[in-house]
Amino acid sequence: MSTTDAARLRDRPRTAPEPALRPAAESGPGVEISVWSRLFFDGKALVLRSRGFFGERRETRYPLSGPQGISRALLVFPDAETAGRERGAGEVWLLDSSGQPVGRLLPYQWIPAGGRWLSFEEAVHRSGMSALFKACGIPVDRTTRDRADAPREPWWRELTLLLSPGPALPLWYQALRIAVGAVWFLAFTVLYFSEASLPWLMLLAAVTAFVAPVARLTVRRVTALRNRSAARLDPPPLVEVSPRPGPPEDGGGSTVATRRFVSRAVLRVFPRELSVVDPYGADVRRALSGPAAAVALVRMTGPDGKPVGVELRYASGVRAPIGAWADWFAGPGGEGAWHRFRRAVPLPCEERKVSAVALSHSSLTRGPGAAFPEPRAKEARRTALFPCSIAGRHSTIFMTVTSGFSIWWAPIVRIESPVAAWTSVLLGLSGLLLQFAPWCWHHLRSRLYFERPVTRKDQAS
């Protein structure tokens, strides 16, 4: 296994050869992963493009020959109880000639959309792993977790062997948040249970509380810059299509096109893949060439003969929705946008009639991987929020409490050290401002603009 220096990656071809595994789509920091991360065969070795600890784009090669080269793949199926309890259970181990693990794959990480809802065997096929192993000439064996031939490694070793697209949030940010949280909690515990005022410890708690919102704003800015940089890695798209929604009475269903959807969602056709970007930036990439690619572009029509949706059809019979016709092509200029899109996609175009019963299920045209407006503004605001840290939704609550503590505890140390007290208050107020200002801006933009229904004037512009 060898890693290519990040400075030389600009010399690499922009698109990976097919078949290539594409990661699950995510918004925010995950947009760069959708563009960059791939697992593919370059004719000599398996190549993993991923994101590293500090967010760098790296390329790691796994040889297919030699004493440590990959000689076979082992599908480790979960038992029935685990499969029913954990979505996406099961893993693929890459072994060398002596049976030692070289790498480990989780199929649901390499399915652009809806991977966790598939069985393990279907996930292996839908991710493109089967086609990739066939192209590499890697034989595939099967076993279950409870059998003796299943690999057994410590948890830390399993993490180091994992071939993943990379973390959505940079690991440096996660590590920093854990470190400052631990330091703050230690300082808070000593201050709360100690009878002494300890101004220096109060100041340490205030500084660590202030670092958290600063780090979050930093990672948001870095994410914006890196996403912009990642967009330049793609070749120019053959065509870009923005939504042309029709009025709700023309088949919009329970969803109403919003300004967020019209201004953010887009379909892009590249020479080898289709990009479906939803209103929140998540970029679902689907192959248009190679053994794992779709075989046809399908326009679905209802019982009355009117178009209702667009999808991709695969040789296995699997269908992947792209979007509802009412969301993308039913408005002014929609027919022209459809013809440009159809001509750019290098697949035969088919027509498929669907029944009224099938149309009653929204997943037909708005399933995993399709770009569509959220039915409720509240859900849209929540989905559009920047991803939280390792603490999840409690991250913001924790940051608010820590900054508030800097203000609440300051009077206790004011007599002994006025400088420490006032510094703590300023840091606490600044921390609260850095948290609530972006939150207020997000909600105001959402309520006053993005989640407003689109008008004909908006479409014309």
Side-chain angles (χ1 to χ4, degrees), residues 28-29 168-178 180-181 207-225 382 384-403 428 430-443:
L169 283 170
L171 289 179
W172 68 262
Y173 172 69
Q174 303 278 40
L176 179 64
R177 289 294 305 275
I178 292 173
V180 299
V207 169
T208 54
F210 178 71
V211 166
V214 170
R216 184 161 69 175
L217 287 179
T218 300
V219 80
R220 292 182 67 163
R221 178 58 180 165
V222 170
T223 292
L225 293 175
R382 183 167 58 246
L385 279 170
F386 192 81
C388 296
S389 70
I390 193 170
R393 292 184 181 179
H394 300 291
S395 173
T396 300
I397 298 175
F398 181 73
M399 286 196 300
T400 303
V401 169
T402 56
S403 295
S430 300
L432 291 175
L433 177 64
L434 293 178
Q435 294 168 56
F436 285 107
W439 184 87
C440 292
W441 175 245
H442 169 78
H443 280 263

Side-chain angles (χ1 to χ4, degrees), residues 299-385:
R299 183 170 71 168
M300 297 175 284
T301 56
D304 57 359
K306 293 183 179 179
V308 295
V310 182
E311 65 184 10
L312 293 175
R313 181 177 64 81
Y314 291 81
S316 62
V318 171
R319 299 180 182 276
I322 295 175
W325 190 269
D327 296 335
W328 284 93
F329 305 109
E335 281 293 335
W338 162 247
H339 288 302
R340 291 197 308 275
F341 178 70
R342 185 182 65 180
R343 286 195 299 268
V345 175
L347 299 173
C349 187
E350 302 175 350
E351 298 280 342
R352 180 168 78 96
K353 290 188 177 295
V354 295
S355 65
V357 175
L359 282 176
S360 64
H361 299 282
S362 60
S363 60
L364 180 71
T365 57
R366 292 170 174 157
F372 58 91
E374 286 284 356
R376 296 175 57 191
K378 183 178 180 180
E379 295 176 8
R381 277 191 289 275
R382 183 167 58 246
T383 307
L385 279 170

Side-chain angles (χ1 to χ4, degrees), residues 81 87 129 132 352 383:
E81 181 181 353
R87 295 290 185 182
M129 288 184 184
L132 181 62
R352 180 168 78 96
T383 307

Side-chain angles (χ1 to χ4, degrees), residues 62 91 116 187 215 236 308 349:
Y62 295 85
E91 52 195 18
R116 283 196 179 270
V308 295
C349 187

Side-chain angles (χ1 to χ4, degrees), residues 26-185:
E26 297 182 75
S27 58
V31 174
E32 181 186 3
I33 295 176
S34 297
V35 176
W36 169 253
S37 297
R38 298 288 187 273
L39 181 64
F40 59 93
F41 177 54
D42 69 350
K44 297 180 180 179
L46 271 182
V47 182
L48 173 66
R49 289 180 181 172
S50 62
R51 183 156 67 179
F53 184 90
F54 293 104
E56 73 278 9
R57 298 174 191 137
R58 62 182 184 181
E59 196 171 273
T60 309
R61 298 175 60 81
Y62 295 85
L64 301 181
S65 59
Q68 294 184 331
I70 299 171
S71 65
R72 66 188 178 103
L74 184 64
L75 310 186
V76 182
F77 284 75
D79 57 70
E81 181 181 353
T82 303
R85 185 179 67 251
E86 299 179 16
R87 295 290 185 182
E91 52 195 18
V92 180
W93 288 80
L94 304 176
L95 309 176
D96 61 19
S97 56
S98 63
Q100 294 301 310
V102 177
R104 173 171 161 261
L105 290 164
L106 300 178
Y108 73 85
Q109 292 185 338
W110 295 100
I111 300 178
R116 283 196 179 270
W117 301 101
L118 301 174
S119 67
F120 174 63
E121 190 162 17
E122 188 177 3
V124 170
H125 182 72
R126 290 274 293 273
S127 65
M129 288 184 184
S130 299
L132 181 62
F133 295 153
K134 184 177 180 180
C136 297
I138 298 176
V140 179
D141 297 327
R142 302 178 175 219
T143 188
T144 56
R145 173 55 70 184
D146 54 355
R147 288 184 53 176
D149 59 344
R152 300 284 189 273
E153 297 288 340
W155 65 268
W156 56 267
R157 173 70 174 158
E158 290 188 352
L159 287 178
T160 60
L161 289 171
L162 184 62
L163 278 62
S164 74
L169 283 170
L171 289 179
W172 68 262
Y173 172 69
Q174 303 278 40
L176 179 64
R177 289 294 305 275
I178 292 173
V180 299
V183 172
W184 181 90
F185 186 77

